[in-house]
Amino acid sequence: MALCRRLSRLAAHLQDPQKVAAFQRLCGVEGPMGWADAEQRAGVRGPVANGSPPAAEWAGGQGHPAGNGTVPGGAGPPQRWRRRPRRNSLTEEDGSQEFSTRSRFLYYLFSLGTELGNELFYILFFPFCIWNLDAWLGRRLIIIWVWVMYLGQCAKDVIRWPRPASPPVVKLEVFYNTEYSMPSTHAMSGTAIPLALLILSYGRWQYPLMFGLILAFCWCLLVCCSRIYMGMHSILDVIAGFLYAILILVVFHPVVDLIDNFNLTYKYAPLIIISLHLALGIFSFTLDTWSTSRGDTAQILGCGAGVACGSHVNYMMGLNLDPPPKTLPLSLSSLTVTVFGKAILRLLIGVIVLLLTKVAMKKATIPLACKIFCIPHDDVRKARQRMEVELPYRYITYGTVGFSLMFIVPCLFHFIGLS
């Protein structure tokens, strides 16, 4: 019992939004005028709903509260920005919050760390890995990524902890503010992807182990710290996401080869893959009311199903994207200007095809789903908050994108001589 009480106190300590605000001040982030008074009032009244501050408490004003932290070595008054964070079109949040910072370098560094867990990074990283480096490695990374993100999103909707209260926390990002906080799925992907990349590639690729360890450590640390800096997660959220991702890796790494082999070779694999991923999506939609996490979950599952089905079609048609066994272990020493140029050209052409596929499928699936389920589509935002629209739209759209990633685009490369 004593141990449980100590753990409970430790968890409460790590969940305290004041710790997030202290880290932000240490990095030079300060809220708008009146923020210090709002912090004191927040301490009296308790956390606000999912970390969203009443606008009257921070809107307007050009000063900054006295006594906030500084970055070591910083000098002079902070330069105040007024910025509008990336806004989610499905939410009604304005997303405008004035803040000041003493270090633009840290702001851009942690913004980069946050992007390592966003769609823009995924739509560049996974295609580059599959088209230019090693399709064998890319397929396995996607399998692990799908399970890590799915289990993380489901855990959020089961635990239902709100975002850190604001104030005292300054929200530098609001795109995912409607989602729950525990665990941090950014921290989970920022842990799982680099560690899986290291585990799967070492021995298959020639590079110093220390280089891989340093890269994985820096990647993970940057993503985890960025979520605290942005005010989106408590320290406890990030630690839980880190440990949860490691647990999932321990469970799924031993069977990832079996899963990939099943996807490639089993005759009825596409039917099972599509049915399983769709069933998982329907289950996740029943865990809680609407939030952006539901669409993200369907998006991840659709992408995973599309990639697996595309891999199966490649195998059945004899289109092997994997490096020949005689070339193993692979090395970057053969990199030339010509090889690099072709890699960039493949990435540019392929990503354009994927984006066009995404846009076309979105235009087709949303009105179709609304028509099938008799849902008014005058207001697309409200229509997409219905499971009957959001699940098929995301699942079919990103399933097609995943299929194009593995089959359509490689066939295009072969046709134009870029394979």
Side-chain angles (χ1 to χ4, degrees), residues 200-265:
L200 293 170
S201 66
Y202 188 70
R204 184 177 177 85
W205 282 78
Q206 292 179 336
Y207 61 85
L209 177 60
M210 187 55 64
F211 170 78
L213 290 172
I214 292 174
L215 176 63
F217 174 79
C218 292
W219 185 334
C220 178
L221 183 65
L222 178 60
V223 175
C224 290
C225 290
S226 74
R227 303 314 288 160
I228 302 174
Y229 177 88
M230 291 292 175
M232 297 304 292
H233 286 286
S234 68
I235 298 173
L236 182 62
D237 297 337
V238 170
I239 293 175
F242 170 79
L243 296 176
Y244 193 19
I246 291 179
L247 175 63
I248 295 171
L249 268 180
V250 169
V251 172
F252 276 94
H253 175 255
V255 298
V256 70
D257 286 335
L258 294 176
I259 295 174
D260 185 59
N261 186 65
F262 171 84
N263 293 341
L264 293 178
T265 61

Side-chain angles (χ1 to χ4, degrees), residues 29 49 91 100 108-109 114 119 135 147 176 182 192 226 314 356 358-359 361 380 401:
V29 175
T91 66
S100 63
Y108 287 120
L109 177 66
T114 285
E119 181 180 349
W147 281 107
Y176 298 105
M182 167 65 80
S226 74
N314 282 340
L356 291 175
K358 173 186 170 182
V359 171
M361 294 305 300
V380 175
V401 170

Side-chain angles (χ1 to χ4, degrees), residues 76-392:
Q79 181 177 0
R80 181 166 291 279
W81 296 350
R82 181 162 180 83
R83 61 183 294 274
R84 189 172 294 273
R86 187 167 63 107
R87 183 170 177 246
N88 195 314
S89 61
L90 292 182
T91 66
E92 296 179 338
E93 293 179 283
D94 177 77
S96 178
Q97 187 171 63
E98 187 177 322
F99 69 96
S100 63
T101 178
R102 294 182 184 272
S103 176
R104 287 198 178 196
F105 169 76
L106 287 180
Y107 174 77
Y108 287 120
L109 177 66
F110 287 126
S111 294
L112 172 64
T114 285
E115 285 301 323
L116 292 178
N118 289 340
E119 181 180 349
L120 176 61
F121 168 73
Y122 297 139
I123 207 169
L124 293 173
F125 174 74
F126 290 131
F128 184 84
C129 183
I130 290 171
W131 298 334
N132 295 316
L133 295 178
D134 188 353
W136 180 95
L137 176 62
R139 291 195 308 270
R140 284 158 174 77
L141 284 176
I142 290 175
I143 290 171
I144 292 173
W145 169 72
V146 167
W147 281 107
V148 165
M149 294 300 292
Y150 176 76
L151 293 173
Q153 295 284 23
C154 287
K156 279 186 176 184
D157 288 337
V158 170
I159 299 173
R160 303 181 185 181
W161 284 6
R163 298 284 185 183
S166 175
V169 173
V170 183
K171 292 296 179 72
L172 276 65
E173 175 190 305
V174 295
F175 190 82
Y176 298 105
N177 203 44
T178 59
E179 294 184 14
Y180 294 111
S181 185
M182 167 65 80
S184 168
T185 46
H186 270 77
M188 292 180 68
S189 67
T191 300
I193 292 178
L195 286 181
L197 183 63
L198 173 63
I199 294 170
L200 293 170
S201 66
Y202 188 70
R204 184 177 177 85
W205 282 78
Q206 292 179 336
Y207 61 85
L209 177 60
M210 187 55 64
F211 170 78
L213 290 172
I214 292 174
L215 176 63
F217 174 79
C218 292
W219 185 334
C220 178
L221 183 65
L222 178 60
V223 175
C224 290
C225 290
S226 74
R227 303 314 288 160
I228 302 174
Y229 177 88
M230 291 292 175
M232 297 304 292
H233 286 286
S234 68
I235 298 173
L236 182 62
D237 297 337
V238 170
I239 293 175
F242 170 79
L243 296 176
Y244 193 19
I246 291 179
L247 175 63
I248 295 171
L249 268 180
V250 169
V251 172
F252 276 94
H253 175 255
V255 298
V256 70
D257 286 335
L258 294 176
I259 295 174
D260 185 59
N261 186 65
F262 171 84
N263 293 341
L264 293 178
T265 61
Y266 187 62
K267 182 178 180 180
Y268 300 107
L271 179 61
I272 296 174
I273 291 166
I274 293 172
S275 302
L276 175 61
H277 285 71
L278 184 59
L280 291 173
I282 294 172
F283 170 75
S284 69
F285 270 55
T286 65
L287 293 177
D288 193 39
T289 57
W290 181 88
S291 74
T292 54
S293 67
R294 299 204 316 183
D296 291 342
T297 302
Q299 180 173 312
I300 292 162
L301 291 170
C303 184
V307 168
C309 291
S311 302
H312 179 82
V313 174
N314 282 340
Y315 181 84
M316 291 293 109
M317 296 184 64
L319 302 176
N320 187 14
L321 303 180
D322 297 351
K326 64 181 181 182
T327 63
L328 301 178
L330 302 169
S331 174
L332 293 176
S333 60
S334 59
L335 181 65
T336 63
V337 175
T338 302
V339 172
F340 179 76
K342 283 188 174 182
I344 297 301
L345 187 59
R346 277 193 293 266
L347 182 65
L348 180 62
I349 294 174
V351 168
I352 290 175
V353 172
L354 296 185
L355 292 177
L356 291 175
T357 301
K358 173 186 170 182
V359 171
M361 294 305 300
K362 178 179 179 180
K363 293 290 186 181
T365 53
I366 293 179
L368 180 61
C370 289
K371 185 175 182 179
I372 291 174
F373 294 103
C374 301
I375 296 173
H377 62 276
D378 298 333
D379 189 338
V380 175
R381 183 187 63 81
K382 289 185 177 179
R384 285 178 56 184
Q385 293 183 11
R386 297 283 298 271
M387 183 185 77
E388 300 93 329
V389 176
E390 184 78 343
L391 179 59

